[in-house]
């Protein structure tokens, strides 16, 4: 990876006025030497994001995308609609969607496919629960989740971003140690190497309680190419500290 990638996942937070201040502050803090950065905002704020970011250094992302192209799917947002708002990235298969909305590996793979077909980079999330880790199933779970996406998206696979987000580390303040994260990232890189000639082009992000204090040690790992940041992406100073750590 030439430059690291830091992506904010705002989840279902913020408001029209708070977004305004947050996006202005982040934009103002980015420098020409900053790593790549993006924010995945709630869907109703995409128009505001498009207007405020205006094709600048901070890229716009969505938190989900429909597995369907168009039609009678009430409440869904299609990849083409996201494209209308200059969206560059769409998170797919976040553990909160898998857990609360019953998204299967097959649905996640279709979502990635829809995003890719619209020219949007899917950020494919994989990760094990605490019970799965304790049972020694981490490798099996993340490989199965990624395999579904590889299988469905074949030759396009070098166009995706992968985020390893251990479910037990999300929003809990319990970060994976750099060694734990690196171990899984190395597995994912090896799996991608079997599917594409250029696995090094695929950014492998770590997510799960990454913050200003722990970002540098995680990002120093060989196969950690950036971060997917939840809570700490809602404060400009914290998000910019992580961007600075990734820009070394
Ligand atoms: P967190 O969330 O940084 O608040 O743990 C990360 C994520 O869910 O993407």
């Amino acid at each position: 990876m030439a430059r690291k990638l830091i992506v904010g996942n705002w989840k279902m937070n913020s408001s029209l006025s708070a977004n305004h201040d947050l996006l202005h502050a982040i934009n103002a803090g980015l420098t020409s030497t900053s790593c790549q950065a993006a924010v995945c905002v709630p869907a109703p704020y995409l128009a505001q994001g498009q207007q405020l970011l205006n094709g600048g250094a901070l890229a716009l992302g969505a938190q989900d995308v429909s597995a369907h192209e168009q039609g009678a799917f009430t409440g869904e947002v299609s990849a083409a609609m996201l494209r209308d708002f200059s969206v560059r990235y769409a998170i797919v298969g976040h553990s909160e969607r898998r857990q609360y909305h019953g998204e299967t590996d097959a649905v996640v793979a279709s979502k990635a496919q829809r995003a890719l077909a619209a020219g949007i980079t899917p950020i494919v999330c994989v990760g094990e629960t605490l019970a799965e880790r304790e049972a020694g199933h981490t490798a099996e779970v993340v490989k199965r989740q990624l395999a579904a996406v590889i299988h469905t998206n074949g030759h396009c696979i070098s166009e995706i971003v992968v985020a390893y987000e251990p479910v037990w580390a999300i929003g809990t303040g319990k970060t994976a140690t750099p060694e734990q994260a690196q171990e899984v990232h190395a597995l994912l890189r090896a799996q991608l190497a079997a599917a594409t000639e250029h696995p090094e082009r695929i950014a492998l992000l770590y997510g799960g309680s990454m913050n200003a204090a722990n970002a540098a040690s995680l990002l120093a790992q060989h196969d950690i190419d950036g971060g997917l940041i939840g809570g700490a992406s809602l404060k400009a100073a914290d998000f910019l500290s992580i961007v600075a750590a990734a820009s070394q």
Side-chain angles (χ1 to χ4, degrees):
M1 284 297 303
R3 283 209 302 164
K4 294 205 189 290
L5 170 63
I6 298 296
V7 181
N9 172 14
W10 290 3
K11 310 195 180 186
M12 199 170 72
N13 292 299
S14 207
S15 64
L16 212 50
S17 62
N19 299 343
H20 188 270
D21 296 347
L22 184 53
L23 289 177
H24 272 292
I26 295 173
N27 253 337
L30 291 177
T31 66
S32 57
T33 56
S34 294
C35 66
Q36 298 179 72
V39 282
C40 295
V41 306
Y45 300 134
L46 288 171
Q48 183 194 25
Q50 182 186 35
Q51 194 194 3
L52 291 179
L53 302 183
N54 197 22
L58 185 60
L60 186 61
Q63 297 173 14
D64 187 27
V65 61
S66 178
H68 306 284
E69 191 174 1
Q70 63 165 49
F73 301 101
T74 302
E76 296 267 285
V77 177
S78 74
M81 292 171 188
L82 297 181
R83 198 62 230 166
D84 277 344
F85 292 96
S86 313
V87 162
R88 286 256 309 274
Y89 299 97
I91 298 172
V92 299
H94 190 281
S95 62
E96 287 151 15
R97 305 263 349 146
R98 293 181 191 261
Q99 189 181 346
Y100 306 136
H101 301 272
E103 291 190 7
T104 61
D105 292 342
V107 166
V108 174
S110 299
K111 289 185 169 199
Q113 193 174 31
R114 291 290 172 206
L116 285 165
I120 292 168
T121 302
I123 300 175
V124 178
C125 299
V126 300
E128 81 288 2
T129 63
L130 186 58
E132 288 164 341
R133 173 164 282 266
E134 287 177 348
H137 294 155
T138 299
E140 181 193 319
V141 169
V142 298
K143 281 172 149 183
R144 188 203 72 223
Q145 291 172 333
L146 184 57
V149 176
I150 291 174
H151 179 73
T152 302
N153 292 279
H155 68 277
C156 293
I157 210 67
S158 58
E159 310 299 319
I160 72 171
V161 166
V162 177
Y164 168 54
E165 296 206 312
V167 179
W168 48 272
I170 295 177
T172 58
K174 280 190 210 153
T175 320
T177 64
E179 295 73 25
Q180 282 173 323
Q182 166 58 30
E183 193 183 355
V184 177
H185 279 234
L187 277 177
L188 296 172
R189 184 86 71 199
Q191 189 177 2
L192 290 165
T196 169
E197 277 178 25
H198 296 288
E200 75 287 352
R201 287 191 194 156
I202 301 174
L204 292 184
L205 313 183
Y206 168 79
S209 300
M210 193 190 263
N211 58 38
N214 61 29
S217 58
L218 287 158
L219 293 166
Q221 299 301 308
H222 185 258
D223 290 302
I224 300 186
D225 304 317
L228 181 55
I229 323 296
S233 71
L234 293 166
K235 289 193 189 130
D238 290 4
F239 188 69
L240 287 168
S241 295
I242 298 170
V243 167
S247 307
Q248 304 294 323

